[in-house]
Amino acid sequence: MFEAYIGLGTNLGNRIHNIQKALDILSGRLSNPSSPFIMNNNNNSHDVLPGSNNNNHNNQNKLIEIIDTSFLYLSSPQYITEQPIYLNAVCKIKTNLQPNELLIKLQSIEKQLGRRRDYLNNNNNGNSTINVKYGPRIIDLDILFYGDEIIGSLNEKNELKTETNHELIVPHPKLFERDFVLKPLMDICPDKIHPIFKKTIRELYENLQKFNKKGIFKVLPFSSFNNNNNIRTDNIDNINNNNCDIFDDNYFFPFSNDSTRTLLMGVINVTPDSFSEQQDENSSLLLSDNNNTINTNNITEMNITGKVLLENPKLIINRIVQYINEMNIENPPMFLFDNNISDNYTISNYKKFNNKEGLKSPSFIIDIGAQSTRPNATLLSPEEEWLRLKPILEEIQSSSFLLELMKEKHILISIDTFYSLVAENSIKCLLGFVPLLINDVSGGLMDEKIFEVCSRYRIPIVITHMRGTPQTMTNLKDYIVVKDSSSNNNSKDHDDGSSNVKANTNIKEGVVKEDEGVVREVVDEKEVNKEEEQFLQVLSEEIQDRIRIAIDKYHLFRWQIILDPGIGFAKGMFHNLILLRKGRIELNKRLHYDYPMLFGFSRKGFISKILHEDNDTKKKKKNSLLFGNAACLTCSIQQGVDIVRVHDIKEMNQVALLSDAIYKNNNNLL
């Protein structure tokens, strides 16, 4: 088997669909008619992708195996700038195909997906068909490397070729000048040496950055409201002069980026016993009427708790509208590349840039859960949890008013569950109505098949670090490094974050443990630093194990994964404060991948412990932890956390707006 790297690019139609379907065909993976990316809107039969069969995963004659993928990147077009924004990625494969056989395979996939090499363009002489090199395309698949082979790269004078005439040239002759190729390669093989230039991918990328300042942005994709994924090529003649009307209805969230506002996730608990609920007995309830419209007067003063929602699921409409009002989303964010802007990008409102092509970006996530994860909570079965959640989601699905409002404001729905049954039922209920993600607080520990569900439906998932269950996690706070003498540190192009340590999760005295009081007595600063390092090392190892299972066993793409270090889950005071201080930076450094990061600290016990707020006070005094939550949110934004899960939406939105303005240093956010 030979190792090769394939570049993928698309800027027509549904970009996410194009790349993911190309990878599915490449690997021989079965299509899923329920998937928002693979589904034929007019046919619910279980189709099979071309070139695949029902036993492909066990097919010993399989010719191509996808080993890894980069993240997804939005990039401005090069060479011909008057065309839509590109979505790019790179995948690493193993194959027994020879280079020319692999090229033929890739070209056949391009053709299956509708790739055309001639386009209708307006010019001074009217419409004419011309072959536009570097022009727009539904999909483009290039062989970047084939092992360390050098094929057709040098001319008769032994000079490097920079152009191709459809012949195979490996390594790709323009690789060194393309940030949309080098940046994804940095994700999976930064230390790979170019066989001609004798420089690593990292060196080539750093050298390019000295001269090329055009924008390329790592993005987290979400499926659109529109369920129709047919490739639109009927208006391809309008591409020129920025008059393109071939829009992508998906949502793209640029993360690890100073041009992006921190994305807030608002919590809605459909539980009678959540630790965070604050019941207001005097709240007046406002029902939605039969016309799918509601009176929003004074709606922000309502306090619709999980217990109330269980009794009257129709109030979910009011609860979501309340959150949207508190977010005060006048103009939802759009992602735009503008060749007249020096930095070549901006993220701003739609009204300002409605004369140019922009891609939608989410403004807010609503996280709905029916299982209490507070310590020692009663564990519901999957069937019991779904019985709670089903009427809530059905109300959302049936409210045309709410769906239109969420579409207008760019709102996503997150399902907070660790059960695959609940995840799949939720996806089936809301698929095609709202963009979705799954928020699994157990990181697949409670039900590993949840990874398979997200892989099959191509839905993003939050992988949270937790140990045990909500009933046992408070006894699993020891983080001990155990040397593993059997570990074999073979050299790799890219360290996957593993090291020769194992995590000991037994319930016993450990090196790092929960504090009994708020103030930790520091006897030896070196000892504290050692404990911090051990905690972060073991934590990153356990997170990496969950990522490996999701990607290697269940074939999730890397761009489907959001990480949550699990503040408050099997963590003591000491651990929680380390994460708030430097968790995002330290974990991604150890994982060797810059994953999007979510923090969830809102109203958790360690905050009340520091503020000396007991449980009785919290129940009597509304928002007693508000300032503590605000401090944690500010710390999260300061270290670059991308998504933050909160309860007090109006107040936390104000904190986030100001913190973004301070720490992100970008005038576009003002």
Side-chain angles (χ1 to χ4, degrees), residues 5-20:
Y5 293 84
I6 309 299
L8 303 95
T10 172
N11 70 338
L12 295 180
N14 189 323
R15 295 164 173 83
I16 304 174
H17 166 87
N18 297 343
I19 285 183
Q20 295 187 146

Side-chain angles (χ1 to χ4, degrees), residues 343-583:
D343 289 334
N344 210 36
Y345 74 92
T346 185
I347 297 178
S348 190
N349 63 71
Y350 175 73
K351 291 183 178 179
K352 184 176 180 181
F353 297 110
N354 60 3
N355 62 327
K356 291 183 178 290
E357 188 211 15
L359 296 178
K360 292 182 288 187
S361 190
S363 60
F364 184 51
I365 303 174
I366 295 173
D367 189 46
I368 304 175
Q371 176 96 245
S372 177
T373 55
R374 64 180 174 83
N376 303 312
T378 301
L379 183 67
L380 298 179
S381 69
E383 293 76 16
E384 290 172 323
E385 183 180 329
W386 176 241
L387 283 176
R388 281 185 181 180
L389 193 58
K390 180 181 179 182
I392 298 294
L393 301 188
E394 288 177 341
E395 288 295 332
I396 295 173
Q397 184 204 68
S398 63
S399 174
S400 58
F401 161 79
L402 180 63
L403 293 175
E404 188 60 33
L405 179 63
M406 294 176 68
K407 182 176 181 179
E408 176 189 344
K409 302 295 186 181
H410 297 188
I411 310 297
L412 313 181
I413 291 290
S414 167
I415 303 300
D416 184 356
T417 184
F418 42 66
Y419 288 136
S420 60
L421 181 145
V422 176
E424 182 160 20
N425 286 346
S426 301
I427 292 169
K428 287 180 177 179
C429 181
L430 294 180
L431 187 67
F433 293 95
V434 293
L436 292 170
L437 66 148
I438 299 299
N439 183 12
D440 180 3
V441 299
S442 79
L445 284 176
M446 298 290 291
D447 183 356
E448 198 174 278
K449 289 183 179 179
I450 199 167
F451 291 148
E452 189 275 330
V453 170
C454 290
S455 176
R456 181 153 38 93
Y457 289 90
R458 297 305 190 209
I459 298 295
I461 181 171
V462 179
I463 297 179
T464 304
H465 176 267
M466 187 179 76
R467 289 171 164 181
T469 69
Q471 293 70 38
T472 63
M473 63 182 179
T474 55
N475 296 318
L476 298 171
K477 299 177 182 179
D478 297 347
Y479 291 79
I480 305 172
V481 176
V482 180
K483 294 293 182 181
D484 181 10
S485 59
S486 64
S487 177
N488 182 14
N489 293 326
N490 294 323
S491 61
K492 298 180 180 180
D493 283 336
H494 189 196
D495 188 350
D496 62 5
S498 63
S499 58
N500 60 333
V501 298
K502 288 185 177 180
N504 186 337
T505 57
N506 293 329
I507 305 172
K508 62 181 182 180
E509 285 297 311
V511 175
V512 181
K513 56 185 179 181
E514 181 184 16
D515 299 288
E516 296 298 329
V518 174
V519 181
R520 180 182 179 85
E521 182 180 357
V522 180
V523 178
D524 186 341
E525 184 177 348
K526 290 184 179 180
E527 183 65 24
V528 173
N529 291 337
K530 179 181 177 182
E531 292 181 8
E532 283 190 10
E533 177 61 30
Q534 289 186 106
F535 164 62
L536 291 168
Q537 184 177 1
V538 173
L539 177 62
S540 62
E541 276 293 303
E542 293 181 8
I543 292 174
Q544 184 64 55
D545 287 342
R546 308 314 302 164
I547 295 172
R548 284 197 197 96
I549 291 172
I551 292 177
D552 296 344
K553 184 176 180 180
Y554 293 100
H555 311 293
L556 265 76
F557 295 132
R558 201 169 294 281
W559 56 77
Q560 291 179 255
I561 295 174
I562 304 165
L563 295 184
D564 180 348
I567 294 175
F569 290 97
K571 313 288 190 305
M573 177 82 71
F574 180 64
H575 312 126
N576 293 328
L577 295 180
I578 291 172
L579 292 173
L580 283 169
R581 192 177 305 126
K582 53 184 176 181

Side-chain angles (χ1 to χ4, degrees), residues 223-343:
S223 62
S224 68
F225 288 85
N226 187 354
N227 201 21
N228 185 358
N229 289 296
N230 294 329
I231 304 297
R232 294 174 54 194
T233 57
D234 52 318
N235 293 314
I236 202 167
D237 54 320
N238 292 322
I239 287 174
N240 66 316
N241 299 322
N242 280 333
N243 290 323
C244 175
D245 61 354
I246 304 178
F247 290 107
D248 191 329
D249 287 331
N250 294 299
Y251 287 67
F252 297 91
F253 176 62
F255 61 95
S256 301
N257 193 306
D258 279 349
S259 65
T260 309
R261 291 194 189 279
T262 303
L263 188 57
L264 296 186
M265 173 185 279
V267 180
I268 295 182
N269 292 311
V270 189
T271 59
D273 57 349
S274 172
F275 72 91
S276 63
E277 292 288 10
Q278 295 171 328
Q279 179 70 53
D280 183 355
E281 300 295 340
N282 297 321
S283 293
S284 59
L285 302 181
L286 184 62
L287 293 174
S288 52
D289 64 26
N290 294 328
N291 296 320
N292 266 333
T293 59
I294 66 173
N295 176 11
T296 59
N297 293 335
N298 299 322
I299 195 169
T300 56
E301 298 178 4
M302 298 165 53
N303 185 27
I304 305 173
T305 64
K307 183 178 180 181
V308 172
L309 285 174
L310 284 172
E311 296 169 352
N312 193 337
K314 289 184 179 294
L315 284 171
I316 189 63
I317 311 299
N318 305 72
R319 190 73 177 97
I320 292 176
V321 172
Q322 177 184 13
Y323 269 1
I324 295 174
N325 287 348
E326 290 176 349
M327 281 294 295
N328 192 28
I329 307 168
E330 294 184 3
N331 298 300
M334 299 289 291
F335 193 92
L336 172 84
F337 282 84
D338 190 334
N339 291 324
N340 295 320
I341 299 176
S342 59
D343 289 334

